Amino acid sequence: MTNKAEKYIEYLENSAFPYTIELKDQPEQIKDYLEGIYNTIVLKDIVNRKKITDVMMLKSVLRYVFDNIGNPLSSKKIADTMTRNGRKVDSRTIEKYLEAFMESYIVYKAKRYNIKGKQYLKTLEKYYVVDIGLRYMLLGSRKMDAGHILENIVYLELLRRGYDVYVGKIDTFEVDFVAQNQKGNHYFQVALSVRDEKTLER
């Protein structure tokens, strides 16, 4: 395994929060640190600030969003999923939770942008998490969806570089990211590999 590959796996599992560098090669301490961040944000910040009464539902929704990074989501879709799983909740409550996650910078929303019509769309946004290590801590390695994780990493890097980032739509096709700044629009398609002809053509 190359040094870059090792660094990448380390980044995925250990987080990009600065203090984890001090805890290198101490996975249990890193896990405790990330659990502390999670509990502080979810329990002390969101629950208290938003006066959330159903903490279990809040946690379930956050896990669902973490598990569906890079997938088009709506508050109705999330509410329907939770209700099917035996926990009835309405779309307005889900919207409140999503807003709280974004206000706490634990989740980011990428709105959809119609490239041909040059207009922003109001449905089926995508959500990305602030830190892949935090996601790994919460969901475990069984949820390591490599393609969507790479997409999440690219999204965060584009934000770091100062772009406004949207999910592009052109006719029936999707452009993973439309990154806008003062110099104009830049288009990005994210793929783990282009060995597959269909992926390369896309």
Side-chain angles (χ1 to χ4, degrees):
M1 188 180 289
T2 67
N3 188 48
K4 281 186 179 179
E6 289 173 358
K7 293 287 185 187
Y8 184 71
I9 291 170
E10 189 177 296
Y11 167 76
L12 296 184
E13 296 181 357
N14 292 352
S15 154
F17 287 115
Y19 186 60
T20 56
I21 296 172
E22 305 261 334
L23 301 174
K24 185 176 169 61
D25 300 322
Q26 300 177 67
E28 287 304 314
Q29 283 85 346
I30 289 173
K31 184 181 177 185
D32 289 345
Y33 172 66
L34 293 176
E35 283 178 348
I37 291 175
Y38 170 76
N39 287 327
T40 298
I41 292 172
V42 174
L43 297 180
K44 292 184 180 176
D45 178 31
I46 295 176
V47 171
N48 291 338
R49 181 165 48 83
K50 293 292 186 178
K51 296 179 173 56
I52 304 293
T53 53
D54 192 345
V55 179
M56 289 303 294
M57 177 58 78
L58 180 78
K59 288 183 175 181
S60 293
V61 173
L62 184 60
R63 287 178 66 90
Y64 183 84
V65 173
F66 270 42
D67 195 19
N68 284 276
I69 55 173
N71 290 325
L73 291 179
S74 68
S75 55
K76 184 181 184 307
K77 182 178 180 179
I78 298 171
D80 289 347
T81 301
M82 295 295 149
T83 301
R84 276 197 307 273
N85 291 338
R87 298 292 308 281
K88 188 169 177 57
V89 64
D90 59 54
S91 297
R92 291 182 67 182
T93 301
I94 298 297
E95 287 174 11
K96 178 182 176 182
Y97 290 172
L98 291 172
E99 183 181 303
F101 298 152
M102 290 183 287
E103 286 176 0
S104 297
Y105 299 104
I106 193 171
V107 166
Y108 292 85
K109 177 168 71 175
K111 294 182 180 179
R112 294 169 72 230
Y113 178 74
N114 186 317
I115 295 171
K116 268 190 173 179
K118 296 184 178 179
Q119 61 184 350
Y120 303 104
L121 306 173
K122 294 182 178 180
T123 58
L124 294 175
E125 301 93 346
K126 290 187 176 183
Y127 292 86
Y128 298 96
V129 300
V130 68
D131 182 74
I132 296 298
L134 199 60
R135 181 182 187 270
Y136 180 80
M137 180 277 297
L138 197 61
L139 302 180
S141 59
R142 65 186 178 82
K143 295 294 186 179
M144 292 298 272
D145 179 342
H148 282 148
I149 286 170
L150 181 59
E151 196 177 311
N152 199 124
I153 291 167
V154 171
Y155 174 80
L156 292 176
E157 179 61 21
L158 290 172
L159 287 186
R160 190 188 69 80
R161 294 187 184 193
Y163 291 102
D164 293 323
V165 187
Y166 303 89
V167 176
K169 181 182 181 300
I170 180 164
D171 296 328
T172 58
F173 299 99
E174 182 179 281
V175 177
D176 284 332
F177 299 122
V178 179
Q180 300 178 339
N181 64 10
Q182 292 179 341
K183 295 181 180 179
N185 291 347
H186 307 269
Y187 304 97
F188 296 87
Q189 204 69 17
V190 182
L192 276 176
S193 169
V194 290
R195 291 177 183 172
D196 179 74
E197 286 187 17
K198 288 183 179 178
T199 303
L200 184 59
E201 184 181 353
R202 180 168 60 90

